[in-house]
Amino acid sequence: MRKILRVAAAPMFAAAFLLAALSAPANADTTGTTESDAEIAQEWQTAWDTYHFTDTTPPAPGSGRSRVTNSISVDIDAPMPQTFYKYSDFNNHIGRNPFLKRVVTHKEWPTPPALYRNLTAIEEIPYEGTIVVSKTHAQQRLHADGFYYETDSWSQPNVVTHQRIDFKPLPDGKTRVTENLTFEADSSLIDFVAANGTASHQQLQTALKQAIESGEL
């Protein structure tokens, strides 16, 4: 059911990306990813400067923006340190998120106690015989000392997400992964964005659990 929701949602998101592409072709297009990594890095910087997507201030009343927070968990039969490093590596999400094709890391640096990464995740979404390319610009902050990471991101159509993913050791060498997800979007889209976004994360959790437990990762 979660996979069906994710796949069924693709045309609606793709349609939104097509509309967004008319005014912001650098962030959503139907011609494939032709930009260089340097050009994608500039798009990341533009999104950072324009949307301030690490700002967690709630939308102001009357702004036309809304916010929804959900929490999902999964238990993985693998030790916590191993699970943390494999789960938090976004390159391991490629092939497990059905549309994710590439992750471009623009910058990585330590600012204790966290390791910072500025990156762009590139998805290719089928829509009416063409491929819509979506770029999600994000900053990830890994806290290996506390076994959690945070990610803030922005993507078309002006969707901001704030995530905190916690890793907790369980008996018998297992790990519980809890994702706290906050979605912010235009009020007319927020219910769809939150429902589809949560379902997408649940599907990815299941795929990562299987890959880690099987030794594939």
Side-chain angles (χ1 to χ4, degrees), residues 20-151:
L22 297 176
S23 58
N27 294 302
D29 63 68
T30 59
T31 59
T33 306
T34 58
E35 299 94 337
S36 67
D37 287 0
E39 289 171 324
I40 295 171
Q42 184 56 56
E43 293 176 21
W44 184 98
Q45 189 64 52
T46 299
W48 174 270
D49 294 340
T50 304
Y51 298 100
H52 308 287
F53 51 81
T54 58
D55 184 359
T56 58
T57 305
S63 66
R65 302 276 291 174
S66 297
R67 177 177 284 189
V68 170
T69 298
N70 291 325
S71 180
I72 57 175
S73 295
V74 66
D75 291 349
I76 299 177
D77 189 4
M80 185 178 66
Q82 170 187 334
T83 300
F84 171 77
Y85 287 108
K86 291 181 178 181
Y87 197 105
S88 62
D89 185 346
F90 288 169
N91 285 299
N92 288 336
H93 298 188
I94 297 172
R96 295 171 181 92
N97 172 330
F99 305 125
L100 181 62
K101 300 302 180 182
R102 191 157 68 101
V103 175
V104 182
T105 300
H106 309 301
K107 183 179 179 181
E108 178 177 300
W109 74 100
T111 301
L115 175 67
Y116 284 65
R117 290 180 181 141
N118 295 343
L119 55 95
T120 298
I122 300 173
E123 291 183 305
E124 296 182 1
I125 303 172
Y127 179 68
E128 294 189 352
T130 189
I131 297 294
V132 176
V133 177
S134 167
K135 303 185 187 76
T136 298
H137 303 297
Q139 182 179 89
Q140 182 191 40
R141 299 175 296 280
L142 287 90
H143 295 261
D145 59 331
F147 290 102
Y148 72 93
Y149 68 89
E150 302 165 302
T151 305

Side-chain angles (χ1 to χ4, degrees), residues 169-185:
L170 298 175
D172 301 321
K174 298 181 180 181
T175 304
R176 176 163 296 159
V177 183
T178 300
E179 298 195 17
N180 297 294
L181 311 168
T182 298
F183 304 93
E184 181 183 316

